[in-house]
Amino acid sequence: MSTLTIRTLRPDDAAPLLAFEQANRAWFERHIDPRPDDFYSIDGIQAHVAQFLGEHQQGRLHPCVIVDEHGELIGRANLKDIDGQAQTAEVGYRIGEQQAGKGLATAALRYLIALAQDEWRLAGLCAYAIDGNAASMRVLERCGFVQGIAVPDIAIVAGNVVDGHAYALNLRAAGVDSAL
């Protein structure tokens, strides 16, 4: 795996984020719900970035981007639905098609685990994966997440309603380490 940087999203990430999302739209839509068409414009992306940064300021979201050694945006990773009282959050990540299978999702998830522990002081994380997305399930399990309940109708992929599973990670459990 090449050198990469995972950092908090910034306002000046809008143009590279749009290029990343446009280049990987078909790839993502094979695995997750499609985004609305107006998302794929500079105005749509700028609104998306502004919303995410606003939610970050409010302590509800920690949006991150993954950038390669050439400064190209190659993925995203987020702590979302952060609940300080319950000390929980949901994790999510999107890796570009050309970078899939190179360990970036695992690196991103480990980064989010460390962020959840060190900066947000959370006790637990959850994630969701659609049935059939074996790569995402492997990443979650490799990082210590345990498969939980089935979630029917979790997403619409390629026009089909699909099921999935919830995953959980107890950050207070003995042996949970972001450097897994």
Side-chain angles (χ1 to χ4, degrees), residues 2-3 9 22 27 39 43 55 85 113 146 150 161 177 180:
S2 60
T3 304
L9 179 71
Q22 288 174 327
W27 165 252
F39 173 84
D43 289 340
E55 289 184 37
Q85 188 168 349
I113 292 167
V146 175
V161 177
D177 182 0
L180 295 169

Side-chain angles (χ1 to χ4, degrees), residues 103-122:
L104 268 67
T106 300
L109 187 51
R110 287 181 177 156
Y111 180 87
L112 293 176
I113 292 167
L115 194 64
Q117 291 174 310
D118 301 339
E119 185 168 331
W120 292 95
R121 305 285 187 229
L122 300 178

Side-chain angles (χ1 to χ4, degrees), residues 2-8 65-69 72 74-75 111:
S2 60
T3 304
L4 60 96
T5 301
I6 304 174
R7 61 168 173 74
T8 302
V65 293
I66 307 166
V67 180
D68 70 11
E69 67 272 14
E72 183 180 348
I74 57 174
Y111 180 87

Side-chain angles (χ1 to χ4, degrees), residues 23-169:
N24 291 286
R25 183 176 185 174
W27 165 252
F28 293 144
E29 289 179 1
R30 289 200 307 257
H31 303 284
I32 57 176
D33 286 325
R35 294 188 185 271
D37 288 339
D38 62 353
F39 173 84
Y40 296 96
S41 68
I42 194 62
D43 289 340
I45 283 286
Q46 286 174 334
H48 174 78
V49 168
Q51 176 190 347
F52 271 35
L53 294 177
E55 289 184 37
H56 182 236
Q57 279 188 314
Q58 295 166 6
R60 297 191 325 240
L61 176 78
H62 197 125
C64 299
V65 293
I66 307 166
V67 180
D68 70 11
E69 67 272 14
H70 306 293
E72 183 180 348
L73 199 150
I74 57 174
R76 304 179 66 177
N78 301 311
L79 286 176
K80 59 186 184 176
D81 298 327
I82 298 171
D83 184 333
Q85 188 168 349
Q87 296 182 313
T88 60
E90 181 182 337
V91 298
Y93 43 87
R94 297 162 71 95
I95 305 302
E97 183 174 17
Q98 297 301 313
Q99 301 300 324
K102 297 179 181 179
L104 268 67
T106 300
L109 187 51
R110 287 181 177 156
Y111 180 87
L112 293 176
I113 292 167
L115 194 64
Q117 291 174 310
D118 301 339
E119 185 168 331
W120 292 95
R121 305 285 187 229
L122 300 178
L125 296 173
C126 70
Y128 298 91
I130 65 168
D131 293 344
N133 189 344
S136 194
M137 292 176 183
R138 275 193 308 273
V139 167
L140 290 165
E141 291 169 0
R142 183 179 302 128
C143 291
F145 282 74
V146 175
Q147 188 181 62
I149 63 168
V151 181
D153 305 338
I154 195 170
I156 298 173
V157 178
N160 299 309
V161 177
V162 296
D163 299 332
H165 278 83
Y167 285 77
L169 177 65

